């Protein structure tokens, strides 16, 4: 870009500072935030700023609307304390990203447990490796696109990895999301009540103890270092807030969040409105990845760990704040229920127990898990 274009961009930013009253006066001179760098590309203009000492860091974000009035609606402000970036994108996020499994292959093939998230403002696919960044919290109001994202995440994992790579325990407490995964060969059980979920999690607890002993015996720090391969285990629970009174279940979930990474036991938790009574202590601190659709207010967005989610419009279905290293706004993939069902059909198997663990009490548990492949049957007998 030309020097002239850079100077014009700086001039517009200074104009925005004036409209937002982001300056001090020294006599008749204005003191603005220092513009340290201006980066112009075909996709965006990015300003790197340093606030003078004493400026309120919230001054920039609180005046986002002013920058949008000057530069257009596609403005993102990032940073903290003194150093910030203001990025003006040429294009906005797409209003919808249709799910196409083949299109995500390029960002999934190099990851142990690929989690697809969506497309960013540059239309680039965003994904991360759950084996490296463990434990996810997804949240968002009804209609925000959270359910479709969960569907895309789980379906993609099952299509990409074999049952020898990853197994699933699914908690579907609203009885609305995970039914399509019943009898998929990766899935140990789909549980719709705490009564059936608890025995499954007790088994997970035993398996974590077994894996911990294996790590100690072999003097290694992660299951990937063991000679004999063990599958990763993903515990995914939709509307986990419904378990707030289930103390034993929540204790096991917290234990997974604390020690599960090295043992290959990982969490994907979901809730509509973040509940601070559920997200407390160890669990809150150990959910390292946050993905949130629209939240009704700033407090809920803060509890969700996705500041800015309260600014998502109610009409922006699938718009999410994705927080891994720093928050970015993405458009999540839209996967229809029937399409997910079609994709999963080749993975279905007939089993003796249509609903694993269900209708079984603790006494009959061993007989109900003849296909439970975590290697713990000998521990139970």
């Amino acid at each position: 870009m030309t020097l002239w274009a850079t100077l014009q961009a700086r001039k517009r930013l200074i104009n925005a500072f004036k409209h937002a009253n982001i300056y001090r006066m020294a006599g008749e001179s204005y003191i603005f935030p220092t513009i340290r760098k201006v980066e112009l590309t075909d996709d965006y203009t990015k300003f790197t700023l340093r606030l003078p000492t004493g400026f309120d860091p919230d001054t920039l974000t609180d005046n986002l609307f002013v920058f949008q009035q000057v530069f257009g609606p596609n403005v993102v402000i990032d940073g903290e304390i003194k150093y910030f970036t203001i990025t003006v994108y040429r294009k906005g996020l797409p209003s919808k990203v249709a799910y196409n499994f083949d299109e995500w292959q390029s960002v999934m093939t190099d990851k142990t447990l690929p989690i697809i998230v969506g497309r960013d403002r540059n239309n680039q696919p965003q994904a991360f490796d759950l084996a490296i960044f463990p434990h996810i919290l997804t949240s968002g109001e009804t209609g925000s696109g959270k359910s479709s994202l969960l569907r895309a995440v789980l379906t993609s994992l099952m299509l990409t990895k074999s049952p020898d790579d990853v197994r699933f325990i699914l908690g579907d407490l609203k009885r609305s999301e995970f039914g399509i995964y019943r009898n998929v060969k990766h899935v140990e059980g789909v549980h719709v009540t705490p009564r059936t979920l608890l025995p499954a999690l007790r088994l997970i607890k035993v398996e974590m103890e077994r894996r911990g002993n294996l790590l100690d015996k072999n003097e290694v720090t992660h299951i990937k270092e063991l000679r004999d391969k063990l599958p990763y285990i993903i515990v995914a629970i939709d509307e986990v807030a419904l378990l707030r009174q289930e103390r034993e279940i929540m204790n096991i979930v917290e234990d997974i969040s604390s020690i599960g990474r090295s043992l290959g036991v990982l969490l994907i938790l979901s809730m509509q409105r973040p509940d601070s009574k559920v997200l407390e202590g160890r669990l809150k601190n150990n959910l390292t990845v946050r993905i949130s659709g629209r939240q009704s207010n700033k407090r809920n967005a803060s509890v969700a760990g996705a500041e800015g989610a309260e600014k998502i419009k109610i009409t922006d279905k699938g718009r999410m704040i994705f927080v891994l290293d720093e928050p970015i706004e993405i458009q999540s993939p839209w996967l229809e229920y029937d399409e997910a069902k079609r994709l999963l059909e080749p993975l279905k198997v007939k089993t003796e127990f249509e609903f694993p663990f269900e209708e079984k009490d603790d006494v009959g548990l061993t007989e109900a898990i003849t296909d439970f492949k975590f290697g713990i049957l000998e521990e139970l007998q």
Side-chain angles (χ1 to χ4, degrees), residues 60-258:
L60 292 175
T61 53
D62 287 347
N63 284 281
L64 173 63
F65 70 96
V66 177
F67 296 101
Q68 290 174 326
Q69 289 170 350
V70 172
F71 290 103
N74 303 313
V75 178
V76 175
I77 300 174
D78 290 313
E80 57 184 11
I81 311 300
K82 296 186 75 168
Y83 297 96
F84 288 83
T85 61
I86 298 177
T87 307
V88 182
Y89 290 93
R90 309 275 184 256
K91 299 178 181 179
L93 284 165
S95 59
K96 188 174 183 179
V97 173
Y99 178 86
N100 184 320
F101 178 71
D102 292 336
E103 291 181 357
W104 292 96
Q105 289 293 328
S106 63
V107 293
M108 291 195 294
T109 53
D110 62 340
K111 296 175 176 60
T112 301
L113 294 174
I115 303 295
I116 65 173
V117 181
R119 290 189 176 272
D120 63 18
R121 290 184 177 274
N122 294 321
N123 202 34
Q124 295 300 307
Q126 292 289 324
F128 66 95
D129 194 339
L130 186 63
I132 298 174
F133 302 99
H135 314 315
I136 308 170
L137 174 67
T138 67
S139 56
E141 293 182 344
T142 300
S144 65
K146 172 178 61 68
S147 296
S148 178
L149 175 61
L150 272 177
R151 201 176 300 138
V153 164
L154 295 178
T155 301
S156 296
L157 277 169
M158 293 175 193
L159 291 173
T160 306
K161 301 298 177 180
S162 77
D164 293 330
D165 297 321
V166 59
R167 308 299 291 260
F168 295 83
I169 295 289
L170 303 179
D172 188 10
L173 301 174
K174 293 192 302 180
R175 298 174 182 254
S176 61
E177 297 304 330
F178 295 157
I180 56 173
Y181 300 110
R182 279 200 171 91
N183 297 328
V184 172
K185 53 190 176 183
H186 300 68
V187 178
E188 296 293 345
V190 178
H191 306 279
V192 298
T193 67
R195 184 178 69 84
T196 66
L197 180 60
L198 178 56
L201 291 180
R202 284 174 176 166
L203 284 171
I204 296 297
K205 185 175 181 179
V206 172
E207 173 65 358
M208 288 198 299
E209 292 175 0
R210 186 184 79 90
R211 291 185 176 200
N213 291 336
L214 282 174
L215 296 187
D216 290 342
K217 180 180 178 180
N218 289 275
E219 299 181 348
V220 296
T221 60
H222 195 282
I223 63 162
K224 67 183 180 183
E225 302 171 64
L226 294 172
R227 183 183 61 185
D228 296 324
K229 179 180 177 180
L230 291 173
Y232 282 88
I233 303 167
I234 294 177
V235 177
I237 303 175
D238 187 37
E239 204 49 55
V240 68
L242 295 176
L243 296 172
R244 65 170 66 86
Q245 303 300 326
E246 304 294 333
R247 197 62 255 164
E248 185 176 355
I249 288 178
M250 292 308 300
N251 283 341
I252 296 173
V253 169
E254 286 187 355
D255 286 345
I256 294 172
S257 78
S258 295

Side-chain angles (χ1 to χ4, degrees), residues 9-17 20 22 32-39 45-53 55-57 59-61 63 67 71 75-88:
R10 293 174 66 95
K11 183 177 179 180
R12 292 182 71 191
L13 183 59
I14 293 295
N15 188 44
F17 288 154
I22 303 176
F32 297 108
T34 303
I35 304 173
R36 306 185 71 178
K37 182 180 179 182
V38 180
E39 180 183 357
T45 298
K46 179 182 288 188
F47 303 97
T48 302
L49 310 176
R50 180 183 183 277
L51 293 184
T53 299
F55 268 55
D56 183 349
T59 300
L60 292 175
T61 53
N63 284 281
F67 296 101
F71 290 103
V75 178
V76 175
I77 300 174
D78 290 313
E80 57 184 11
I81 311 300
K82 296 186 75 168
Y83 297 96
F84 288 83
T85 61
I86 298 177
T87 307
V88 182

